Amino acid sequence: MSGALNLVAAGVIVLAVLLGVARLWLRRVRALPTARGPAWRAAALSVLQLSAGAALYLTLFPPGAASSGLVLAIAVAGAPKSVALAPGERLIALPEARATRGAERAPDLATALRRHPGVASIRVIGDGLAPRDREGSHSVKIAFVPPPQPRGLVRIALPGPIAAGNAFSVGGEIGTLREGIVELLDPAGALVSQARIKAGAAFRLNGTMRLPGLALFVLRVRDPSGRVIERLEVPIDAAPRPQPRVLVLAGAASAENKFLRRWAQDAGIDLALEIDAGGGVQLGDPATPLTSSALDQRDLVAIDDRRWESIGPTGRAALLSATERGMGLLLRLTGPPSLEVRRGWAALGFALSNPAGPALSAQVSRTLPEPNPVLPLPIGPNAIPLIAGTAAWTPFAQGRIGLLTLDDTYVLALTGRGDRHGQLWSTLVGTLARAEPAPPAWLDGFARAGSRVILCGLQGSALVQEPGGRNTLIQLDPASGKERCGGYWPAAPGWRTLRAGEREMHFYVHPAAAFASLAAIEASAATRALASSAAGPNGSAPSGTGALWSLWLWFALLLTLLTALWWLERTRFAAPPQSRDEGATHDGISG
Amino acid sequence: MSAALAPHESLLRAARRRIWLDSLALGAPAVLVTAALGWLLLGSVGLCGLALFAAMLVSGLAWRRAGRQQAQHLAARLDGRLPELEDSAHLLLQDANTLQGLASLQRKRLDARLAQGLAVDPKPVWSRRAIAVSWGMGSVFVALLLGLGPNDGRAVKSAAPAGAQSTQAPRIVSLRLRIVPPAYTGLPQRQQTQADAKIPAGAQVEWAVQFSALPTTAHLVFADGASIPLLREQNRWLVARVVGKSTLYRIEALGAPQDAWHRLEVIADAPPEVRLISPIERLSLADIGQTTWTPIFEATDDYGLAASARLRVTLASGEGEQIAVVSREVDVQGSGSGRRRRWAVPLDLAREGLVPGSDLIVQLIVRDNRRPIAQVVEGPSVILRQPSNFALADGLDGLRVGNVPAFFRSQRQIIIDAQALIKQRRSLAREAFSQRANALASDQAALRFRYGQFLGEEAEGGAPPLTSDTPAAPRLATADTPATEKSAHFGGDGHDHGESATIDEGAINTAQGAARQFGHVHDAGEGATLFDSGTRSLLARALDAMWGAERELRQARPEAALPFANQALEALKKAQSASRIYLRRTSSRLAPLDLTRRLSGKRAGIEPAHAVIPGASVSQAEAFAAWRALEHRAGAPPLRLDALEAWAMANAAARADPLELMAAIAAVRQDPACSHCQQTLRAALWSALQATPTAQRRAGADPSGALYLDALE
């Protein structure tokens, strides 16, 4: 930028000087030989103009003073109250260094460097440079001693959007805190879960978001004496989202289907149950034609082995093609499978090696979902186990196919374990159903008030809405390239809604004091990287004293030259206009 | 010399004094102004200090000005004033002896003039104008200073709003609650100064409030909107109210700052609890020879029980379809007092009419001493059963089998053995097979004899079954021997006394009775013409079947014996629970068939296959709306506090702490902008709401992931 300014100014000055010189010489050429002044005057004027132009340029852009030998000690966040300075150092405190005393205050690093232009190297004292100081090309050498690891949360994984009523987990790692307790509190302030932690240990806490909507849980790290080391708000986004549409194709009426429908009604899932009672009689909801358009409206199809046989090859092909396009397919085993079923399902990746069919009884279903499998699941090697011993799934193009070998999960509901029944089916539906459309963007890193928030994955224009009603349009940063990131600068903490088209996403901006340890670690890592890779000072020849002095020097020189120009132009050494006769007679006669 | 010709010192002194006074008069206003300034700035200390300082300054300046007055000024003034002195007043101020020549002549002339009465006044005139100006400006400044200075109470207030009775807002200085619990609880009165209170239901609460300044009116306002005025009595404001349920209240007075909500939690009177002390089981069987029975109940209450309780005694007698229930209630007195009482109820079984096959049910109904309406609790009921059924040898639980032996094979065992024998037919030789079948038949016969004895049939030659108890098997009451005394049929032998009573009494008017009385009875299954099948007892049918099974087994045909044995088992089982079988007498009524629609495949008009599950009885829609409205996000719906409050009041009973939500709503209503209040309301809603879990959706793959998944296939 400054280079461009230099060039522009230089261009203008050169142009003006050339015009002036040209005007001078043209006038001289055009004038009568007698009206021309002496040649030395014109020459002197040209030289003076050229040198005045040069002096003007040098006044505006004095050549960079070389290193003055001054080293700046920059105190940033985490700097102590009093800093020991080496000789030749000057202490500058940035706004984050609140505790440092007796330092010159500068709003940021660039200002400090501009105020002390001869500085070639700086020493950073504290946790590390803030993001605003790290960006931009500073041509100074950075010396940085990273501080010890902070005590609080050095790594944190916050949960993504979940459905209401489901569990979530928050995990992370602790820094150098010797021992302590990490707690999770619900929005009412009650303790949900806690864990003991040691230095460097990873923890994981689980909570349940009981209600739909947005809520803030609180993660608290305490030392053994009970003092709070760090407090972080865990934002949970359980905003209502469209529930999956499930189609159950049953080969016979059974209690299993009845309880499945009951669970779906309670959970708000749109479930259509079609029971084939044999002989052409169909019970339940009106039949859905197994066409691609109808199946694309469904997110999951659960089909019996008996129904699998009866829908014929066209039906099966339609189901599989819909699964390729993203729908989920759940195969349920309700009896000894016939050869055709076994062959068909083996082609999909589920090799049922036990011809006796479902070998599990209601006894087993009561013990779900403990992870020890009671009987080995006779399923092919590529299947991913979903529920130990009873269900597995494989991906199928963009969709997923799962197999469930239990046919009496309703026993869970009958024996008073309705919640387990719901969890079982919730897991099945959640894993296999069609994926929901992608959110409009995702948050890179964490969001804090007063810092830049990076939102990536933006398609087109995106709007961020604040609780007060203010809307901010997010500009895409072309430098991010494929990531398509944009920046947003929140001023106050709170929930924000990002809207792109008709999709929306909620994210939470934490208060400025949140993520203290994490930000410190990030700052120190980045500063260390900068320190190891920063270029030396750009080579300007050492020419003497400070820039200010040189500025005045050039200005004085410019003034002198301009004065000389002005004086020379005003006095006319040109010969007075005389006729030739007068000039001839003047020689002879005096007077 | 004349007095006028005083030495020039005195003249000078007079002149100087005049000048000094004049200067003081000029400078006094400045002193006053300085004093006023000092008083304004520093109070009385400043007043004195600055006044003193200014006075000293002014007098110093005055002294200097006076000191500048010299003799020549005096002479010049005198010359100017008195033309008679002919400009030679300086001669007067000198010593007469030192004057010579013309001067002394002039001096003498002046003396002569003075002697004629010339007044010499050396004093300069007052600088009146200057003094007037100085005093005028000084007074103006002082007035300004005093007028514009701070009026923080040093000055008397002059501006009062018209009509205001007091200048201070009334604040609550003291609040005293007196809680008078209802008389029946026996709790003492108490007083407290905290505004929150826990009181028993129905207590009267008296408030005594003192304000710092007298308001015009004061009200006690409750959370549900009710408001009662406080009555003034001297400097206290009193009100009393009987509080029935938990509520929030606050005191509102005109002009007073808004009071916070206070809680009145009501502890309801709990109903009494009744426990059964003895016997331990709720259903007990009467022992053999038991004549009295004493169940013991105990009741506890939080405030006190009524002295007498009602005992409900119910006798249910009869069998099968003919159960007669007779119930009576009687007042019983208990032991103990106050909060814990015990009732031991001795019952004479004979007087109650407990006959075999009947149940005696006893229940205690207890009331506490609540006023005006006592709470009545029916305690647990305890049953004493006099069993009528004979003890079946199948090992029944719950029926205390008195002396009935079980040392012979039960019917079930015979069936199992017959099945096992059938299976072993191939492996056994014919002889062994038929021997075993015969043995089984003997067992079946023995069983039949055993059961048959209860029906009064003669033993048909089989060995009497081995029993281990004495007395031996009851004496058979055959048709030959008259009915024996009652002692043959004792309470625990588990057979139907009703039937044997018929036999014993020899009721001749029935066919059976006659046959038994006067002849033998052989019960052969199909040929039993003397018996109508409607009245045959289940046991008789069982005996028939047993005879059929025995017959087949004796012929080494266990396969044919099995159906008979199963029938016998079924009949025995039914007999075991005979008094409790209820069969539908009429068939169910179905809708008539619509033949035009039958088998046509039309589904129109058919109700949806799944029953509509009734929604939750309590709709939480308003509370959910409020929860979403408090999220502090863009696009949140507006918060409707009225609907939320109505929902909270309607569902107060469902929550553990109903007042918490009400207090939070009231706080938000009072100060809509307070974010802390909104957080509290949100926390209260979190605790109060329930939602059913929904299914989690999985996140999709980004475009490159989708390409990969497609390429996999």
Side-chain angles (χ1 to χ4, degrees):
Chain A
M1 189 62 192
S2 61
L5 198 61
N6 275 9
L7 280 176
V8 165
V12 167
I13 292 170
V14 162
L15 195 64
V17 163
L18 283 177
L19 278 177
V21 169
R23 173 170 165 274
L24 179 74
W25 282 103
L26 277 176
R27 220 200 220 174
R28 193 183 150 73
V29 160
R30 285 249 192 88
L32 298 172
T34 50
R36 291 181 198 159
W40 63 267
R41 179 171 168 267
L45 278 175
S46 316
V47 167
L48 278 177
Q49 278 192 350
L50 285 168
S51 42
L56 177 63
Y57 179 77
L58 286 173
T59 308
L60 288 178
F61 305 102
S67 59
S68 51
L70 183 67
V71 174
L72 289 183
I74 313 278
V76 288
K81 207 162 177 180
S82 63
V83 175
L85 294 175
E89 276 192 359
R90 180 182 290 218
L91 183 62
I92 314 268
L94 297 186
E96 301 89 64
R98 274 187 283 269
T100 317
R101 299 262 176 272
E104 180 190 329
R105 292 264 152 191
D108 53 39
L109 181 62
T111 311
L113 287 178
R114 204 173 57 238
R115 284 187 189 159
H116 304 266
V119 168
S121 71
I122 60 172
R123 178 164 81 97
V124 177
I125 303 163
D127 287 336
L129 291 173
R132 59 150 198 265
D133 296 326
R134 295 202 291 263
E135 311 216 346
S137 51
H138 301 298
S139 49
V140 287
K141 215 151 66 81
I142 303 175
F144 174 60
V145 174
Q149 219 193 19
R151 284 201 300 172
L153 298 162
V154 299
R155 244 199 3 230
I156 187 82
L158 295 176
I162 60 172
N166 286 317
F168 62 89
S169 68
V170 181
E173 208 177 288
I174 297 290
T176 55
L177 182 66
R178 195 104 43 87
E179 56 169 332
I181 299 173
V182 60
E183 301 170 330
L184 184 67
L185 310 172
D186 72 0
L191 186 65
V192 169
S193 106
Q194 69 180 31
R196 291 204 169 270
I197 38 153
K198 294 198 312 269
F203 65 88
R204 183 167 160 163
L205 297 174
N206 299 319
T208 310
M209 177 64 185
R210 284 190 5 241
L211 305 178
L214 309 172
L216 293 173
F217 284 62
V218 172
L219 186 71
R220 222 163 46 175
V221 180
R222 303 222 292 214
D223 65 1
S225 68
R227 216 168 34 135
V228 176
I229 304 285
E230 192 155 350
R231 185 182 181 275
L232 184 67
E233 280 158 335
V234 178
I236 306 291
D237 177 7
R241 32 179 61 82
Q243 289 291 297
R245 296 155 297 184
V246 183
L247 172 66
V248 178
L249 298 171
S254 75
E256 178 81 349
N257 296 324
K258 182 252 183 187
F259 279 93
L260 190 56
R261 177 147 57 187
R262 175 81 212 206
W263 165 76
Q265 188 153 359
D266 284 340
I269 294 173
D270 170 20
L271 188 122
L273 176 62
E274 293 174 22
I275 304 174
D276 180 20
V281 175
Q282 279 228 328
L283 305 174
D285 294 314
T288 314
L290 291 179
T291 57
S292 57
S293 57
L295 285 177
D296 281 343
Q297 302 293 320
R298 294 280 161 188
D299 297 323
L300 176 70
V301 170
I303 186 163
D304 276 353
D305 54 339
R306 289 171 67 163
R307 197 63 187 267
W308 177 266
E309 285 180 69
S310 65
I311 57 176
T314 46
R316 289 196 278 266
L319 282 179
L320 289 178
S321 70
T323 310
E324 275 172 11
R325 286 193 300 272
M327 193 187 74
L329 186 65
L330 175 64
L331 307 169
R332 289 163 58 200
L333 199 57
T334 56
S338 69
L339 194 63
E340 190 184 326
V341 164
R342 268 200 289 139
R343 224 182 278 142
W345 288 5
L348 295 175
F350 299 106
L352 297 170
S353 60
N354 184 359
L360 304 170
S361 69
Q363 219 67 19
V364 174
S365 50
R366 269 188 223 110
T367 65
L368 281 172
E370 278 77 359
N372 23 312
V374 177
L375 285 173
L377 184 65
I379 280 179
N382 292 333
I384 303 158
L386 185 58
I387 296 163
T390 59
W393 63 273
T394 60
F396 191 80
Q398 288 187 26
R400 297 181 175 183
I401 303 184
L403 173 73
L404 178 70
T405 58
L406 284 179
D407 65 341
D408 50 2
T409 60
Y410 66 94
V411 176
L412 285 170
L414 285 180
T415 52
R417 306 306 314 274
D419 54 342
R420 295 274 209 214
H421 177 256
Q423 273 173 13
L424 167 69
W425 281 101
S426 206
T427 315
L428 283 169
V429 170
T431 313
L432 296 173
R434 192 191 298 269
E436 56 179 358
W442 49 276
L443 199 67
D444 188 9
F446 47 88
R448 280 201 302 182
S451 306
R452 182 182 59 183
V453 172
I454 306 175
L455 297 160
C456 291
L458 296 166
Q459 319 281 340
S461 74
L463 197 70
V464 172
Q465 292 178 321
E466 288 180 19
R470 218 167 63 119
N471 295 348
T472 313
L473 201 63
I474 303 289
Q475 308 280 349
L476 265 183
D477 181 18
S480 57
K482 235 167 12 88
E483 302 270 311
R484 301 180 66 83
C485 297
Y488 168 64
W489 286 261
W495 283 99
R496 303 285 191 271
T497 307
L498 176 79
R499 243 181 253 281
E502 63 277 342
R503 290 177 302 163
E504 66 176 26
M505 177 186 92
H506 302 282
F507 65 96
Y508 183 70
V509 172
H510 290 82
F515 297 113
S517 313
L518 209 59
I521 288 191
E522 192 185 316
S524 83
T527 314
R528 220 180 0 207
L530 261 186
S532 59
S533 71
N538 48 355
S540 56
S543 64
T545 49
L548 220 53
W549 188 92
S550 70
L551 179 76
W552 284 115
L553 174 72
W554 295 120
F555 187 62
L557 184 62
L558 177 67
L559 269 186
T560 320
L561 287 171
L562 287 179
T563 313
L565 256 182
W566 178 80
W567 180 77
L568 201 54
E569 279 177 5
R570 275 184 73 85
T571 48
R572 296 199 148 261
F573 286 108
Q578 292 166 353
S579 60
R580 260 177 96 189
D581 311 329
E582 285 181 345
T585 52
H586 188 72
D587 289 343
I589 302 171
S590 63
Chain B
M1 301 291 138
S2 69
L5 281 177
H8 61 278
E9 287 88 14
S10 67
L11 285 176
L12 201 53
R13 201 177 300 143
R16 279 188 181 150
R17 200 180 307 130
R18 170 62 69 87
I19 291 177
W20 187 73
L21 284 175
D22 189 42
S23 306
L24 278 189
L26 270 179
V31 173
L32 287 178
V33 168
T34 319
L37 200 63
W39 180 71
L40 268 180
L41 293 177
L42 303 169
S44 48
V45 170
L47 169 77
C48 298
L50 275 181
L52 207 61
F53 175 70
M56 277 175 20
L57 196 65
V58 162
S59 53
L61 284 174
W63 189 257
R64 252 191 57 188
R65 186 163 169 238
R68 266 191 259 128
Q69 184 76 212
Q70 301 293 338
Q72 55 265 32
H73 304 118
L74 205 59
R77 195 177 299 127
L78 284 174
D79 286 332
R81 278 201 190 140
L82 300 170
E84 294 85 353
L85 290 180
E86 288 168 2
D87 285 337
S88 40
H90 62 281
L91 293 176
L92 283 177
L93 300 176
Q94 286 172 12
D95 197 4
N97 303 334
T98 56
L99 293 175
Q100 288 168 5
L102 211 54
S104 67
L105 273 176
Q106 185 66 13
R107 178 67 189 264
K108 285 197 186 80
R109 194 192 286 183
L110 288 182
D111 285 338
R113 287 219 185 113
L114 284 175
Q116 288 167 9
L118 194 59
V120 172
D121 183 12
K123 299 197 284 267
V125 297
W126 291 104
S127 45
R128 286 200 182 89
R129 196 190 292 178
I131 290 176
V133 165
S134 155
W135 274 94
M137 282 177 58
S139 52
V140 163
F141 276 131
V142 167
L144 273 178
L145 283 173
L146 290 181
L148 293 177
N151 50 353
D152 54 351
R154 290 196 201 120
V156 177
K157 300 261 177 304
S158 56
Q165 272 135 10
S166 65
T167 52
Q168 257 180 329
R171 279 179 303 115
I172 296 172
V173 168
S174 83
L175 171 68
R176 216 183 58 224
L177 258 68
R178 194 158 75 106
I179 296 160
V180 182
Y184 75 88
T185 58
L187 296 171
Q189 288 182 17
R190 57 189 168 99
Q191 296 198 6
Q192 64 178 56
T193 49
Q194 292 100 4
D196 298 332
K198 275 197 174 54
I199 54 178
Q204 165 154 310
V205 184
E206 298 170 7
W207 285 269
V209 187
Q210 276 182 325
F211 291 98
S212 61
L214 282 182
T216 34
T217 54
H219 287 271
L220 192 71
V221 176
F222 291 94
D224 52 4
S227 147
I228 42 177
L230 289 162
L231 300 169
R232 186 169 148 219
E233 184 190 300
Q234 286 162 13
N235 65 337
R236 293 191 312 166
W237 296 73
L238 305 174
V239 71
R241 186 178 170 93
V242 172
V243 178
K245 55 182 177 64
S246 299
T247 179
L248 301 167
Y249 77 91
R250 70 170 169 216
I251 296 168
E252 285 184 1
L254 211 60
Q258 186 82 278
D259 192 13
W261 286 105
H262 308 291
R263 301 163 74 110
L264 273 182
E265 275 180 49
V266 161
I267 305 169
D269 186 350
E273 289 170 9
V274 188
R275 286 185 308 132
L276 179 68
I277 302 287
S278 153
I280 298 175
E281 310 92 30
R282 301 271 297 263
L283 170 69
S284 49
L285 290 176
D287 281 332
I288 303 156
Q290 186 177 359
T291 50
T292 61
W293 185 48
T294 310
I296 305 176
F297 297 93
E298 189 182 66
T300 56
D301 186 45
D302 48 355
Y303 291 129
L305 291 162
S308 74
R310 285 190 80 79
L311 186 76
R312 185 185 292 152
V313 180
T314 309
L315 181 70
S317 51
E319 280 251 327
E321 304 269 339
Q322 296 152 345
I323 294 185
V325 175
V326 173
S327 176
R328 67 182 175 88
E329 290 194 8
V330 66
D331 283 326
V332 287
Q333 299 288 330
S335 63
S337 66
R339 310 200 169 170
R340 183 184 288 265
R341 284 185 196 266
R342 190 175 271 239
W343 285 265
V345 184
L347 293 169
D348 186 355
L349 294 182
R351 206 158 62 92
E352 301 295 332
L354 188 71
V355 290
S358 58
D359 292 343
L360 188 67
I361 303 156
V362 172
Q363 193 181 26
L364 192 70
I365 300 164
V366 162
R367 47 180 56 212
D368 72 349
N369 60 352
R370 195 177 85 150
R371 298 275 140 67
I373 301 168
Q375 289 172 309
V376 176
V377 167
E378 294 184 4
S381 51
V382 60
I383 306 176
L384 181 73
R385 171 166 296 171
Q386 185 96 327
S388 69
N389 288 337
F390 45 85
L392 297 177
D394 291 10
L396 303 163
D397 334 293
L399 216 59
R400 263 207 3 236
V401 181
N403 290 328
V404 174
F407 279 26
F408 47 91
R409 284 189 180 207
S410 67
Q411 183 65 43
R412 199 192 292 274
Q413 188 63 42
I414 289 174
I415 293 172
I416 292 170
D417 288 338
Q419 284 172 342
L421 190 61
I422 292 169
K423 284 209 182 81
Q424 287 174 354
R425 183 193 274 273
R426 308 261 165 190
S427 52
L428 283 176
R430 268 184 89 89
E431 277 304 308
F433 186 77
S434 36
Q435 264 174 20
R436 284 187 50 182
N438 211 25
L440 274 181
S442 309
D443 292 331
Q444 180 74 80
L447 197 61
R448 184 166 65 83
F449 292 151
R450 183 76 185 128
Y451 285 130
Q453 281 163 11
F454 295 113
L455 272 190
E457 285 154 14
E458 58 188 49
E460 286 186 17
L466 294 168
T467 65
S468 70
D469 48 342
T470 53
R475 274 187 285 159
L476 308 171
T478 61
D480 299 331
T481 53
T484 51
E485 56 275 18
K486 279 266 193 268
S487 60
H489 309 281
F490 39 82
D493 63 1
H495 64 273
D496 194 348
H497 279 203
E499 295 249 15
S500 52
T502 314
I503 295 167
D504 289 342
E505 287 158 10
I508 300 172
N509 41 0
T510 65
Q512 288 164 317
R516 287 180 196 283
Q517 183 94 10
F518 300 114
H520 286 290
V521 171
H522 298 274
D523 45 341
E526 294 82 4
T529 52
L530 280 179
F531 303 93
D532 56 337
S533 50
T535 57
R536 289 178 67 85
S537 69
L538 280 169
L539 185 56
R541 260 187 276 147
L543 291 180
D544 281 350
M546 280 187 211
W547 162 237
E550 185 196 338
R551 187 183 60 222
E552 299 300 332
L553 279 171
R554 292 249 189 242
Q555 296 169 32
R557 289 210 292 258
E559 297 91 346
L562 270 181
F564 286 112
N566 282 323
Q567 276 175 28
L569 183 65
E570 206 182 298
L572 285 178
K573 285 289 162 209
K574 269 209 190 136
Q576 180 189 344
S577 57
S579 55
R580 276 176 291 284
I581 294 179
Y582 298 99
L583 296 172
R584 198 187 304 189
R585 306 188 83 167
T586 58
S587 62
S588 62
R589 290 212 163 274
L590 293 172
L593 282 178
D594 185 5
L595 287 170
T596 58
R597 231 169 99 145
R598 194 163 171 250
L599 291 178
S600 64
K602 297 203 191 84
R603 294 164 62 100
I606 296 178
E607 288 282 312
H610 50 88
V612 176
I613 298 170
S617 57
V618 175
S619 158
Q620 295 183 322
E622 293 94 7
F624 271 115
W627 163 260
R628 301 280 348 249
L630 286 169
E631 273 170 4
H632 296 295
R633 64 174 169 94
L639 180 62
R640 279 196 292 272
L641 277 178
D642 296 324
L644 179 63
E645 193 161 8
W647 176 85
M649 282 209 280
N651 300 310
R655 292 194 299 279
D657 190 4
L659 290 183
E660 185 193 355
L661 185 55
M662 302 285 303
I665 295 171
V668 171
R669 192 191 283 278
Q670 181 176 328
D671 188 5
C674 160
S675 71
H676 175 68
C677 315
Q678 291 186 350
Q679 283 300 318
T680 316
L681 179 58
R682 226 169 120 76
L685 281 173
W686 170 267
S687 314
L689 285 174
Q690 298 277 358
T692 48
T694 49
Q696 176 93 1
R697 300 294 297 273
R698 64 181 172 102
D702 51 350
S704 57
L707 279 176
Y708 173 72
L709 287 176
D710 280 333
L712 273 184
E713 270 305 306

